């Protein structure tokens, strides 16, 4: 029986790339609905989405982390001989509200930076008007 899940509508305002959206969609597809977690390897994700490079998958995963859509944690596996090795990442799907709040925070930060630059430019222009020899 096919698994049913939904992608939050708000995802479309966050400005994520098509590749990151595909990875997010895949993670939603394979997540445990009770824990919101899953453990696919970059190779498994790449194979499912026809992305040839594990590095490209990793780039999309980082983008999802940067947008506060997922949280990742390293895992370890213990081999039969008792040696520890790195396992797959553990992905946790974060509430969409976290991503929306982060998006709005970033938007406000950008607005404030633009306003600060405009204010500094105005002060420089005013100074140059009052002290024309200083700019010569």
């Amino acid at each position: 029986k096919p698994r049913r899940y939904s992608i939050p509508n708000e995802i479309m305002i966050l400005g994520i790339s098509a590749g990151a959206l595909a990875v997010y969609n895949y993670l939603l597809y394979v997540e445990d609905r009770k824990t919101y977690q899953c453990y696919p390897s970059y190779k498994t994700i790449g194979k499912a989405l026809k992305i040839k490079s594990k590095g490209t998958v990793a780039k999309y995963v980082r983008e999802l982390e940067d947008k506060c859509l997922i949280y990742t944690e390293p895992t370890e596996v213990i081999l039969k001989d008792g040696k520890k090795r790195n396992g797959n990442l553990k992905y946790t799907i974060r509430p969409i509200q976290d991503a929306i709040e982060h998006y709005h925070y970033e938007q406000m930060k950008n607005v404030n930076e633009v306003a600060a630059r405009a204010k500094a430019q105005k002060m420089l222009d005013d100074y140059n008007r009052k002290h024309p020899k200083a700019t010569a």
Side-chain angles (χ1 to χ4, degrees), residues 5 7 17-30 40-54 56-61 64 91:
Y5 63 98
I7 298 175
S17 68
L21 182 59
V23 171
Y24 183 68
N25 188 38
Y26 180 77
L27 294 174
L28 287 175
Y29 174 70
V30 298
S41 67
Y42 288 159
K43 183 177 179 179
T44 298
I45 295 168
K47 186 175 179 182
L49 300 175
K50 298 189 178 13
I51 300 171
K52 290 182 171 68
S53 164
K54 289 191 280 187
T56 302
V57 173
K59 176 181 78 168
Y60 294 142
V61 167
L64 295 172
Y91 300 88

Side-chain angles (χ1 to χ4, degrees), residues 8-136:
N9 291 336
E10 296 87 351
I11 194 83
M12 300 313 287
I13 67 163
L14 301 178
I16 66 173
S17 68
L21 182 59
V23 171
Y24 183 68
N25 188 38
Y26 180 77
L27 294 174
L28 287 175
Y29 174 70
V30 298
E31 77 171 333
D32 180 306
R33 302 290 188 268
K34 293 179 183 151
T35 64
Y36 306 103
Q37 295 176 337
C38 56
Y39 299 83
S41 67
Y42 288 159
K43 183 177 179 179
T44 298
I45 295 168
K47 186 175 179 182
L49 300 175
K50 298 189 178 13
I51 300 171
K52 290 182 171 68
S53 164
K54 289 191 280 187
T56 302
V57 173
K59 176 181 78 168
Y60 294 142
V61 167
R62 281 190 305 276
E63 182 179 345
L64 295 172
E65 286 182 296
D66 291 345
K67 298 290 185 176
C68 295
L69 288 161
I70 64 171
Y71 175 72
T72 63
E73 298 173 74
T75 64
E76 288 183 340
V77 293
I78 299 174
L79 303 176
K80 289 180 184 176
D81 63 6
K83 293 181 182 177
K84 286 185 181 180
R85 294 283 186 255
N86 291 333
N88 296 337
L89 288 176
K90 176 169 81 173
Y91 300 88
T92 302
I93 308 297
R94 297 176 63 170
I96 190 66
Q97 194 59 38
D98 290 357
I100 293 167
E101 288 172 11
H102 177 74
Y103 172 79
H104 289 305
Y105 169 79
E106 290 294 319
Q107 294 298 309
M108 288 306 297
K109 189 170 81 172
N110 291 339
V111 166
N112 291 336
E113 288 172 2
V114 168
R117 278 195 294 274
K119 182 179 178 183
Q121 185 63 51
K122 183 181 181 325
M123 290 171 65
L124 181 61
D125 292 345
D126 289 348
Y127 178 85
N128 288 337
R129 264 195 306 282
K130 291 176 184 172
H131 304 89
K133 291 182 183 175
T135 59

